[in-house]
Amino acid sequence: MRPRLPDTKLKPAAAPPRRPPPPPAAARLLSTAAPPSDPCHLQQQQQQQQLDLDDHIARGDLTRARHLFDRMPDPDARAYNSLIRAYSWRGPAHAAGALALYAAMLRDARCPPNKYTFPFVLKACSALQDLRAGRAIHRHAARAGLHADLFVCTALIDLYMKCARFVPAAAVFHAMPARDAVAWNAMLAGYALHGMYHHALECLLRMQEGCASLRPNASTLVALLPLLAQQSALCQGKSVHAYSVRASLHDKDGVLVGTALLDMYAKCGELLYARRVFEAMPIRNDVTWSAIIGGFVVCGRMTEAFGLFKDMLAQGLGFLSPTSVASALRACASLADLHIGKQLHVLLAKSGLHSDLTAGNSLLSMYAKAGLIDEATALFDEMAAKDTVSYSALVSGYVQNGMADAAFLVFRKMQACNVQPDVATMVSLIPACAHLAALQHGKCSHGSVIVRGMAPETSICNALMDMYAKCGRIGLSRQIFDVMPARDIVSWNTMIAGYGIHGLGKEATALFLDMNNHACEPDGVTFICLISACSHSGLVTEGKRWFHMMAHKYGITPRMEHYISMVDLLARGGFLDEAYQFIQSMPMKADVRVWGALLAACRVHKNIDLGKQVARMIQKLGPEGTGNFVLLSNMFSAAGRFDEAAEVRIIQKEKGFKKSPGCSWIEINGSLHAFIGGDRSHPRSPEIYQELDNILVDINKLGYQADTSFVLQDLEEEEKEKALLYHSEKLAIAFGVLTLSEDKTIFVTKNLRVCGDCHTVIKYMSLVRRRDIIVRDANRFHHFKNGQCSCGDFW
DNA sequence: CTAGGGTTAG
């Protein structure tokens, strides 16, 4: 019986033309003078062809090699093996060719595969992660009496390991009559590939035990070091370094070991050592440069990373690779340095690397993070090849730029194009649901994540917790938090922040204390979440206490963001002067955002005098961003200085800052209904406005009076009341009152902060219409019930 | 040996 042909995932290449291969007459005439029937001559010719074949392969010219091979009248096993070997080393694209050639070899009864064939076809299977083909080849090898061959077994271990079949790999390994360092390395590298630190370490120790003790070689270290880097196992990394020096391993494979070492140091945060290893390397390649540049970027040392990138370019373009550009682009993205980013774009185009997928994805992400979402979209459309990463980058780009609805469209397009979403895609998409407070979409995404088996992933759980919290289901957030298999610092921070926006300061504090019991160290973000949770609950004294604890007990130096939270805490709590004093005492110059927090509170507490002072500060610093223009203009309006208010708005317009219109939306049966102030585009507008008018009549009876200080424009008093009455949040709530049955909570989301008048009106609405109303604004949750709001006066 | 997309804060 003929052996079964191995399966290949890719379409096998056509088998080379076999006997009788009528050699083209012209070719024969050119290549030979003697008659072809001379056996001696044939042998010579074959030898020459084999030499030529090896020569092409040595020069890496596989096309020529294949061409020559196809013309060989009578290829022997050696010729097959040479080409199979060459294919098997060239990555997945050529691995399919190797398997096809092997299949042809099986059909060619005159030269059966031998012990030089099997290891290389197995290597090709490993590149393709084709277990079925691998098992078939294993059977062929066993039939050829090679089941215990060192090379066959090692290749088989490599294949099983790559496919995460640890038990069969170990079985082959233990059945081997003898094991050399390469076999041990295959086991160790397999464990390292899957991040199995303890298994890999045990391999390392065991190989050095017993009478057949083997010393780790350069390959061992090169497999081991990335694992140590991932674990931030600096001490072990250092001993590996020492060992490599003692064993003179740095001489033979200086580039590989050196690069792995410097990468390990960089990932452990030891840039000084990384740099020293780098400087000491006599030979560097493109990977070395990528590793050192990437190391500085990962540690946040962007300027030095750019410096290294320039050093690299100073040596010519020989070391330039998509990888190093990707790291540099990441630095641009995090610094929002569009200038350098564009230069890198040009550099990529000039060096012909712009069609590289990695480089394209980095560019796309850089533009999206810089806020140039149109550029990013254009780039995406132009990309010849797109993968999961490209789609995910665009999804998160839209979310980051506040276009959550567009993110869903990209996601749908991705599915239509049969590109499979992975963990990162879903982690990008779920915040879109959170942003829209689209609970139905969120639940759908949750379901999809469960179906795809991603539900236990920490980052997925974190995103889901945040989504449920922002959709008003803090209980569901806590459920996920309680059952998730592993929690990281983001999980704790997300949960604390979730309690914060719900005004549950006590719960946030309790969770923070619990964190210490779980041996989880709080970070800078934890305290921002905690202090803002206190701020939303009016726990001013506690917030102040945490701020001091942060520096003195936890050794975290306050950043600008912490000062913003503190000013918000003090000012929102009514301690405006103390907040002002606090800003004065800051060790650094206060940011516009710090003053903005104070200004917002001045507005809430209607402290015009201080507000004017703060407004002057903000004007001096330059308002930077729409929010402060709006606050500034509001301040002047509230003080009755409408000319100045108008002036601010004109400057805002001139500078190109668009105020995003106040927009509120409500999800009914999975569809979102959005409203802007005075909006009459909704089909049920007449009913909605009628309902609002009715409500106004009812609440006026209860003593409500419009607080027209929240109207920005210079209007007649009655007009002002109208402008207030039709604020977007009121429209959305009225629509909710009309469409939802009385037992349902009305959940409305607003992109800006709820104004003071709306806050009062909604309290009354909850009373006269006997409804539970939740409004999520840009800041927090407001739960209105029986004429009260959960936030009391702290909104 | 390196590298692209992702979750928390105001």
Side-chain angles (χ1 to χ4, degrees), chain A residues 323 330 361 387 422-423 459 462 532 561:
Chain A
T323 317
R330 220 177 112 176
N361 290 338
D387 65 357
D422 64 6
V423 170
S459 56
N462 294 345
S532 81
E561 281 78 3

mmCIF file of all heavy atoms in Angstrom, chain A residues 323 330 361 387 422-423 459 462 532 561, chain B:
data_model
loop_
_atom_site.group_PDB
_atom_site.id
_atom_site.type_symbol
_atom_site.label_atom_id
_atom_site.label_comp_id
_atom_site.label_asym_id
_atom_site.label_seq_id
_atom_site.Cartn_x
_atom_site.Cartn_y
_atom_site.Cartn_z
ATOM 1 N N THR A 323 10.310 46.983 12.346
ATOM 2 C CA THR A 323 10.229 46.820 13.794
ATOM 3 C C THR A 323 10.711 48.055 14.542
ATOM 4 O O THR A 323 10.056 48.535 15.468
ATOM 5 C CB THR A 323 11.062 45.606 14.211
ATOM 6 O OG1 THR A 323 10.812 44.564 13.300
ATOM 7 C CG2 THR A 323 10.724 45.178 15.596
ATOM 8 N N ARG A 330 5.550 54.326 18.095
ATOM 9 C CA ARG A 330 4.848 54.210 19.370
ATOM 10 C C ARG A 330 5.238 55.357 20.285
ATOM 11 O O ARG A 330 4.414 55.897 21.027
ATOM 12 C CB ARG A 330 5.189 52.869 20.019
ATOM 13 C CG ARG A 330 4.000 52.232 20.671
ATOM 14 C CD ARG A 330 4.362 50.886 21.229
ATOM 15 N NE ARG A 330 4.321 50.912 22.670
ATOM 16 C CZ ARG A 330 4.523 49.840 23.403
ATOM 17 N NH1 ARG A 330 4.792 48.677 22.833
ATOM 18 N NH2 ARG A 330 4.459 49.917 24.700
ATOM 19 N N ASN A 361 0.392 49.323 10.378
ATOM 20 C CA ASN A 361 -0.444 49.316 11.581
ATOM 21 C C ASN A 361 0.042 50.343 12.602
ATOM 22 O O ASN A 361 -0.765 51.004 13.250
ATOM 23 C CB ASN A 361 -0.465 47.917 12.200
ATOM 24 C CG ASN A 361 -1.243 46.933 11.356
ATOM 25 O OD1 ASN A 361 -2.085 47.321 10.553
ATOM 26 N ND2 ASN A 361 -0.959 45.656 11.521
ATOM 27 N N ASP A 387 -4.875 43.042 8.669
ATOM 28 C CA ASP A 387 -5.096 41.892 9.546
ATOM 29 C C ASP A 387 -5.879 42.326 10.774
ATOM 30 O O ASP A 387 -6.352 43.464 10.853
ATOM 31 C CB ASP A 387 -3.763 41.210 9.917
ATOM 32 C CG ASP A 387 -2.875 42.122 10.735
ATOM 33 O OD1 ASP A 387 -3.264 43.281 10.958
ATOM 34 O OD2 ASP A 387 -1.800 41.674 11.153
ATOM 35 N N ASP A 422 -9.772 39.161 17.971
ATOM 36 C CA ASP A 422 -9.101 38.481 19.074
ATOM 37 C C ASP A 422 -9.323 39.280 20.359
ATOM 38 O O ASP A 422 -10.159 40.193 20.387
ATOM 39 C CB ASP A 422 -7.616 38.244 18.765
ATOM 40 C CG ASP A 422 -6.844 39.542 18.604
ATOM 41 O OD1 ASP A 422 -7.440 40.613 18.855
ATOM 42 O OD2 ASP A 422 -5.666 39.493 18.236
ATOM 43 N N VAL A 423 -8.583 38.931 21.400
ATOM 44 C CA VAL A 423 -8.790 39.580 22.699
ATOM 45 C C VAL A 423 -8.646 41.097 22.587
ATOM 46 O O VAL A 423 -9.486 41.857 23.074
ATOM 47 C CB VAL A 423 -7.806 39.010 23.751
ATOM 48 C CG1 VAL A 423 -7.834 39.840 25.016
ATOM 49 C CG2 VAL A 423 -8.169 37.568 24.062
ATOM 50 N N SER A 459 -7.860 41.151 30.866
ATOM 51 C CA SER A 459 -8.126 42.432 30.207
ATOM 52 C C SER A 459 -9.574 42.507 29.723
ATOM 53 O O SER A 459 -10.187 43.579 29.757
ATOM 54 C CB SER A 459 -7.163 42.639 29.038
ATOM 55 O OG SER A 459 -7.237 41.565 28.145
ATOM 56 N N ASN A 462 -11.691 43.257 32.721
ATOM 57 C CA ASN A 462 -11.542 44.663 33.085
ATOM 58 C C ASN A 462 -12.429 45.550 32.214
ATOM 59 O O ASN A 462 -13.124 46.435 32.710
ATOM 60 C CB ASN A 462 -10.085 45.105 32.939
ATOM 61 C CG ASN A 462 -9.170 44.407 33.919
ATOM 62 O OD1 ASN A 462 -9.625 43.809 34.890
ATOM 63 N ND2 ASN A 462 -7.886 44.455 33.654
ATOM 64 N N SER A 532 -11.026 60.679 43.494
ATOM 65 C CA SER A 532 -12.200 61.176 42.774
ATOM 66 C C SER A 532 -13.466 60.490 43.276
ATOM 67 O O SER A 532 -14.536 61.082 43.247
ATOM 68 C CB SER A 532 -12.020 61.042 41.265
ATOM 69 O OG SER A 532 -12.291 59.740 40.857
ATOM 70 N N GLU A 561 -2.098 64.968 37.537
ATOM 71 C CA GLU A 561 -3.421 64.350 37.607
ATOM 72 C C GLU A 561 -3.928 64.256 39.047
ATOM 73 O O GLU A 561 -5.116 64.380 39.309
ATOM 74 C CB GLU A 561 -3.402 62.957 36.983
ATOM 75 C CG GLU A 561 -3.454 62.945 35.471
ATOM 76 C CD GLU A 561 -2.118 63.257 34.826
ATOM 77 O OE1 GLU A 561 -1.112 63.425 35.561
ATOM 78 O OE2 GLU A 561 -2.077 63.342 33.593
ATOM 79 P P DC B 1 14.211 33.426 19.133
ATOM 80 O OP1 DC B 1 13.011 33.398 19.930
ATOM 81 O OP2 DC B 1 14.071 33.355 17.707
ATOM 82 O "O5'" DC B 1 15.005 34.745 19.518
ATOM 83 C "C5'" DC B 1 15.168 35.073 20.894
ATOM 84 C "C4'" DC B 1 15.789 36.432 20.968
ATOM 85 O "O4'" DC B 1 16.947 36.436 20.125
ATOM 86 C "C3'" DC B 1 14.889 37.534 20.415
ATOM 87 O "O3'" DC B 1 14.126 38.071 21.465
ATOM 88 C "C2'" DC B 1 15.898 38.548 19.889
ATOM 89 C "C1'" DC B 1 17.123 37.723 19.553
ATOM 90 N N1 DC B 1 17.334 37.538 18.081
ATOM 91 C C2 DC B 1 18.356 38.246 17.460
ATOM 92 O O2 DC B 1 19.056 38.990 18.155
ATOM 93 N N3 DC B 1 18.546 38.101 16.138
ATOM 94 C C4 DC B 1 17.764 37.286 15.447
ATOM 95 N N4 DC B 1 17.996 37.178 14.142
ATOM 96 C C5 DC B 1 16.720 36.542 16.055
ATOM 97 C C6 DC B 1 16.538 36.691 17.367
ATOM 98 P P DT B 2 12.562 38.281 21.262
ATOM 99 O OP1 DT B 2 11.958 38.248 22.596
ATOM 100 O OP2 DT B 2 12.075 37.428 20.166
ATOM 101 O "O5'" DT B 2 12.504 39.783 20.729
ATOM 102 C "C5'" DT B 2 13.314 40.790 21.312
ATOM 103 C "C4'" DT B 2 13.255 42.026 20.432
ATOM 104 O "O4'" DT B 2 13.869 41.709 19.168
ATOM 105 C "C3'" DT B 2 11.864 42.480 20.086
ATOM 106 O "O3'" DT B 2 11.421 43.366 21.080
ATOM 107 C "C2'" DT B 2 12.045 43.183 18.755
ATOM 108 C "C1'" DT B 2 13.282 42.511 18.155
ATOM 109 N N1 DT B 2 12.980 41.623 16.992
ATOM 110 C C2 DT B 2 13.071 42.165 15.736
ATOM 111 O O2 DT B 2 13.357 43.331 15.527
ATOM 112 N N3 DT B 2 12.791 41.280 14.729
ATOM 113 C C4 DT B 2 12.449 39.950 14.850
ATOM 114 O O4 DT B 2 12.232 39.259 13.875
ATOM 115 C C5 DT B 2 12.380 39.453 16.199
ATOM 116 C C7 DT B 2 12.031 38.015 16.458
ATOM 117 C C6 DT B 2 12.657 40.296 17.190
ATOM 118 P P DA B 3 9.884 43.369 21.522
ATOM 119 O OP1 DA B 3 9.795 44.274 22.688
ATOM 120 O OP2 DA B 3 9.350 41.999 21.608
ATOM 121 O "O5'" DA B 3 9.186 44.075 20.273
ATOM 122 C "C5'" DA B 3 9.516 45.418 19.923
ATOM 123 C "C4'" DA B 3 8.775 45.770 18.658
ATOM 124 O "O4'" DA B 3 9.255 44.943 17.587
ATOM 125 C "C3'" DA B 3 7.280 45.486 18.739
ATOM 126 O "O3'" DA B 3 6.643 46.678 19.178
ATOM 127 C "C2'" DA B 3 6.918 45.177 17.296
ATOM 128 C "C1'" DA B 3 8.200 44.621 16.708
ATOM 129 N N9 DA B 3 8.223 43.167 16.562
ATOM 130 C C8 DA B 3 8.130 42.220 17.534
ATOM 131 N N7 DA B 3 8.198 40.986 17.095
ATOM 132 C C5 DA B 3 8.342 41.149 15.731
ATOM 133 C C6 DA B 3 8.460 40.221 14.682
ATOM 134 N N6 DA B 3 8.470 38.897 14.863
ATOM 135 N N1 DA B 3 8.590 40.715 13.425
ATOM 136 C C2 DA B 3 8.600 42.037 13.250
ATOM 137 N N3 DA B 3 8.487 43.001 14.156
ATOM 138 C C4 DA B 3 8.359 42.480 15.388
ATOM 139 P P DG B 4 5.198 46.588 19.804
ATOM 140 O OP1 DG B 4 5.061 47.731 20.706
ATOM 141 O OP2 DG B 4 4.946 45.215 20.286
ATOM 142 O "O5'" DG B 4 4.270 46.818 18.533
ATOM 143 C "C5'" DG B 4 4.465 47.991 17.730
ATOM 144 C "C4'" DG B 4 3.404 48.033 16.668
ATOM 145 O "O4'" DG B 4 3.549 46.908 15.788
ATOM 146 C "C3'" DG B 4 1.978 47.903 17.206
ATOM 147 O "O3'" DG B 4 1.521 49.191 17.590
ATOM 148 C "C2'" DG B 4 1.237 47.410 15.962
ATOM 149 C "C1'" DG B 4 2.288 46.562 15.254
ATOM 150 N N9 DG B 4 2.115 45.129 15.467
ATOM 151 C C8 DG B 4 2.453 44.391 16.568
ATOM 152 N N7 DG B 4 2.157 43.124 16.454
ATOM 153 C C5 DG B 4 1.587 43.027 15.185
ATOM 154 C C6 DG B 4 1.063 41.914 14.494
ATOM 155 O O6 DG B 4 0.994 40.737 14.881
ATOM 156 N N1 DG B 4 0.579 42.262 13.236
ATOM 157 C C2 DG B 4 0.605 43.532 12.711
ATOM 158 N N2 DG B 4 0.101 43.675 11.504
ATOM 159 N N3 DG B 4 1.094 44.581 13.341
ATOM 160 C C4 DG B 4 1.559 44.260 14.566
ATOM 161 P P DG B 5 0.843 49.389 18.960
ATOM 162 O OP1 DG B 5 0.803 50.831 19.183
ATOM 163 O OP2 DG B 5 1.420 48.501 19.976
ATOM 164 O "O5'" DG B 5 -0.621 48.866 18.667
ATOM 165 C "C5'" DG B 5 -1.448 49.567 17.745
ATOM 166 C "C4'" DG B 5 -2.823 48.968 17.787
ATOM 167 O "O4'" DG B 5 -2.767 47.626 17.290
ATOM 168 C "C3'" DG B 5 -3.398 48.833 19.196
ATOM 169 O "O3'" DG B 5 -4.063 50.035 19.537
ATOM 170 C "C2'" DG B 5 -4.404 47.709 18.997
ATOM 171 C "C1'" DG B 5 -3.745 46.847 17.916
ATOM 172 N N9 DG B 5 -3.074 45.658 18.449
ATOM 173 C C8 DG B 5 -1.852 45.585 19.036
ATOM 174 N N7 DG B 5 -1.531 44.371 19.400
ATOM 175 C C5 DG B 5 -2.625 43.609 19.024
ATOM 176 C C6 DG B 5 -2.877 42.212 19.153
ATOM 177 O O6 DG B 5 -2.144 41.351 19.649
ATOM 178 N N1 DG B 5 -4.113 41.855 18.636
ATOM 179 C C2 DG B 5 -5.002 42.730 18.060
ATOM 180 N N2 DG B 5 -6.141 42.222 17.618
ATOM 181 N N3 DG B 5 -4.783 44.027 17.927
ATOM 182 C C4 DG B 5 -3.581 44.396 18.427
ATOM 183 P P DG B 6 -3.978 50.601 20.986
ATOM 184 O OP1 DG B 6 -4.739 51.855 20.993
ATOM 185 O OP2 DG B 6 -2.580 50.550 21.456
ATOM 186 O "O5'" DG B 6 -4.777 49.531 21.817
ATOM 187 C "C5'" DG B 6 -6.172 49.352 21.578
ATOM 188 C "C4'" DG B 6 -6.739 48.512 22.684
ATOM 189 O "O4'" DG B 6 -6.133 47.210 22.650
ATOM 190 C "C3'" DG B 6 -6.428 49.029 24.075
ATOM 191 O "O3'" DG B 6 -7.494 49.883 24.453
ATOM 192 C "C2'" DG B 6 -6.430 47.771 24.929
ATOM 193 C "C1'" DG B 6 -6.186 46.651 23.939
ATOM 194 N N9 DG B 6 -4.934 45.935 24.170
ATOM 195 C C8 DG B 6 -3.661 46.354 23.883
ATOM 196 N N7 DG B 6 -2.749 45.472 24.220
ATOM 197 C C5 DG B 6 -3.484 44.431 24.764
ATOM 198 C C6 DG B 6 -3.054 43.185 25.315
ATOM 199 O O6 DG B 6 -1.903 42.762 25.425
ATOM 200 N N1 DG B 6 -4.119 42.429 25.736
ATOM 201 C C2 DG B 6 -5.443 42.794 25.654
ATOM 202 N N2 DG B 6 -6.342 41.928 26.125
ATOM 203 N N3 DG B 6 -5.861 43.940 25.150
ATOM 204 C C4 DG B 6 -4.830 44.703 24.728
ATOM 205 P P DT B 7 -7.247 50.868 25.623
ATOM 206 O OP1 DT B 7 -8.074 52.023 25.287
ATOM 207 O OP2 DT B 7 -5.812 51.021 25.891
ATOM 208 O "O5'" DT B 7 -7.894 50.137 26.868
ATOM 209 C "C5'" DT B 7 -9.216 49.614 26.762
ATOM 210 C "C4'" DT B 7 -9.604 48.979 28.077
ATOM 211 O "O4'" DT B 7 -8.779 47.827 28.280
ATOM 212 C "C3'" DT B 7 -9.335 49.872 29.267
ATOM 213 O "O3'" DT B 7 -10.497 50.636 29.524
ATOM 214 C "C2'" DT B 7 -9.076 48.864 30.387
ATOM 215 C "C1'" DT B 7 -8.536 47.637 29.662
ATOM 216 N N1 DT B 7 -7.088 47.434 29.842
ATOM 217 C C2 DT B 7 -6.679 46.415 30.679
ATOM 218 O O2 DT B 7 -7.465 45.698 31.269
ATOM 219 N N3 DT B 7 -5.326 46.278 30.804
ATOM 220 C C4 DT B 7 -4.358 47.041 30.188
ATOM 221 O O4 DT B 7 -3.174 46.812 30.380
ATOM 222 C C5 DT B 7 -4.851 48.085 29.314
ATOM 223 C C7 DT B 7 -3.872 48.950 28.598
ATOM 224 C C6 DT B 7 -6.177 48.222 29.185
ATOM 225 P P DT B 8 -10.337 52.175 29.734
ATOM 226 O OP1 DT B 8 -11.681 52.730 29.556
ATOM 227 O OP2 DT B 8 -9.197 52.691 28.972
ATOM 228 O "O5'" DT B 8 -9.967 52.224 31.270
ATOM 229 C "C5'" DT B 8 -10.837 51.613 32.229
ATOM 230 C "C4'" DT B 8 -10.312 51.881 33.613
ATOM 231 O "O4'" DT B 8 -9.030 51.247 33.745
ATOM 232 C "C3'" DT B 8 -10.033 53.341 33.887
ATOM 233 O "O3'" DT B 8 -11.212 53.943 34.380
ATOM 234 C "C2'" DT B 8 -8.959 53.260 34.974
ATOM 235 C "C1'" DT B 8 -8.260 51.947 34.699
ATOM 236 N N1 DT B 8 -6.888 52.105 34.151
ATOM 237 C C2 DT B 8 -5.839 51.769 34.959
ATOM 238 O O2 DT B 8 -5.979 51.345 36.093
ATOM 239 N N3 DT B 8 -4.606 51.948 34.400
ATOM 240 C C4 DT B 8 -4.343 52.426 33.124
ATOM 241 O O4 DT B 8 -3.202 52.545 32.742
ATOM 242 C C5 DT B 8 -5.502 52.749 32.322
ATOM 243 C C7 DT B 8 -5.305 53.260 30.940
ATOM 244 C C6 DT B 8 -6.703 52.572 32.866
ATOM 245 P P DA B 9 -11.618 55.352 33.951
ATOM 246 O OP1 DA B 9 -13.006 55.549 34.407
ATOM 247 O OP2 DA B 9 -11.253 55.578 32.545
ATOM 248 O "O5'" DA B 9 -10.649 56.206 34.857
ATOM 249 C "C5'" DA B 9 -10.822 56.182 36.266
ATOM 250 C "C4'" DA B 9 -9.989 57.289 36.857
ATOM 251 O "O4'" DA B 9 -8.614 57.056 36.532
ATOM 252 C "C3'" DA B 9 -10.343 58.656 36.284
ATOM 253 O "O3'" DA B 9 -10.908 59.426 37.320
ATOM 254 C "C2'" DA B 9 -9.045 59.273 35.842
ATOM 255 C "C1'" DA B 9 -7.996 58.250 36.122
ATOM 256 N N9 DA B 9 -7.232 57.930 34.920
ATOM 257 C C8 DA B 9 -7.620 57.200 33.831
ATOM 258 N N7 DA B 9 -6.701 57.090 32.916
ATOM 259 C C5 DA B 9 -5.635 57.799 33.441
ATOM 260 C C6 DA B 9 -4.355 58.060 32.950
ATOM 261 N N6 DA B 9 -3.905 57.626 31.775
ATOM 262 N N1 DA B 9 -3.529 58.811 33.721
ATOM 263 C C2 DA B 9 -3.975 59.249 34.906
ATOM 264 N N3 DA B 9 -5.158 59.058 35.478
ATOM 265 C C4 DA B 9 -5.948 58.320 34.678
ATOM 266 P P DG B 10 -12.194 60.188 37.107
ATOM 267 O OP1 DG B 10 -12.887 59.892 38.345
ATOM 268 O OP2 DG B 10 -12.783 59.857 35.798
ATOM 269 O "O5'" DG B 10 -11.814 61.721 37.079
ATOM 270 C "C5'" DG B 10 -11.010 62.269 38.119
ATOM 271 C "C4'" DG B 10 -10.444 63.578 37.617
ATOM 272 O "O4'" DG B 10 -9.529 63.270 36.540
ATOM 273 C "C3'" DG B 10 -11.495 64.532 37.036
ATOM 274 O "O3'" DG B 10 -11.285 65.847 37.490
ATOM 275 C "C2'" DG B 10 -11.328 64.444 35.542
ATOM 276 C "C1'" DG B 10 -9.895 63.973 35.372
ATOM 277 N N9 DG B 10 -9.737 63.090 34.231
ATOM 278 C C8 DG B 10 -10.700 62.402 33.531
ATOM 279 N N7 DG B 10 -10.227 61.692 32.545
ATOM 280 C C5 DG B 10 -8.854 61.919 32.597
ATOM 281 C C6 DG B 10 -7.809 61.412 31.774
ATOM 282 O O6 DG B 10 -7.882 60.650 30.820
ATOM 283 N N1 DG B 10 -6.570 61.889 32.171
ATOM 284 C C2 DG B 10 -6.371 62.743 33.219
ATOM 285 N N2 DG B 10 -5.118 63.101 33.461
ATOM 286 N N3 DG B 10 -7.331 63.218 34.004
ATOM 287 C C4 DG B 10 -8.546 62.766 33.626
#
